[in-house]
Amino acid sequence: MEIQNNQACFVQLWLWLERTRRLLRGQYKRFCIRSVMKLWFGGEATDDFIWHVCIECEQTGWDELPPPKFYPRKHREFLRALITMKVGKPKLSELDAAYSIAFPHSTPLNINKKKRNVTKRN
């Protein structure tokens, strides 16, 4: 799997996450970071590589992940860590925009952010 640091690749990663979730569910396997990385990268996904990604995204490899359409925060951190480990630090604005493109009618990524009141001072 070739990962690039651009929005088109980020859209594909979001869509692959959803397809992988459905595939693993159909095989009665756990949808977790470890299973996703083993499926995506095969032999390249060593325990050390998986451990570094899990440390980077502050999650454990065996914890069940929720569906990316409805609970995107954990997946965003996972993808951010994966991209960081493979090609370098991603632009988070592009990663967020890619989520909106991949899942246009689902839960917004920044639903928990407080709205700022911008007032002009004279």
Side-chain angles (χ1 to χ4, degrees):
M1 169 185 283
E2 181 70 29
I3 294 180
Q4 299 170 356
N5 200 352
N6 59 34
Q7 188 175 8
C9 181
F10 298 161
V11 170
Q12 289 302 314
L13 288 173
W14 281 109
L15 294 173
W16 281 340
L17 263 176
E18 179 61 25
R19 287 186 204 124
T20 303
R21 183 188 69 81
R22 282 190 243 133
L23 175 71
L24 290 173
R25 188 178 65 177
Q27 296 174 351
Y28 299 103
K29 292 183 180 177
R30 180 178 291 215
F31 178 57
C32 61
I33 291 175
R34 184 174 202 68
S35 297
V36 169
M37 290 185 67
K38 290 281 186 182
L39 194 63
W40 285 5
F41 297 106
E44 187 182 339
T46 61
D47 288 339
D48 194 43
F49 180 59
I50 293 170
W51 181 79
H52 283 295
V53 170
C54 289
I55 291 297
E56 182 77 25
C57 69
E58 299 176 359
Q59 298 180 44
T60 57
W62 289 108
D63 283 352
E64 188 85 24
L65 293 171
K69 284 184 180 181
F70 305 116
Y71 304 99
R73 294 303 248 171
K74 287 186 176 187
H75 300 286
R76 177 185 186 251
E77 292 304 312
F78 164 57
L79 290 178
R80 182 193 56 77
L82 180 65
I83 295 164
T84 300
M85 294 298 295
K86 292 296 263 182
V87 294
K89 193 170 184 176
K91 293 180 183 174
L92 293 180
S93 59
E94 287 186 8
L95 187 61
D96 294 349
Y99 172 79
S100 298
I101 292 169
F103 305 117
H105 302 293
S106 54
T107 306
L109 258 173
N110 49 0
I111 195 167
N112 293 329
K113 286 187 178 179
K114 293 181 180 179
K115 292 184 179 179
R116 291 189 321 185
N117 291 334
V118 180
T119 59
K120 292 184 179 182
R121 296 181 189 195
N122 292 330

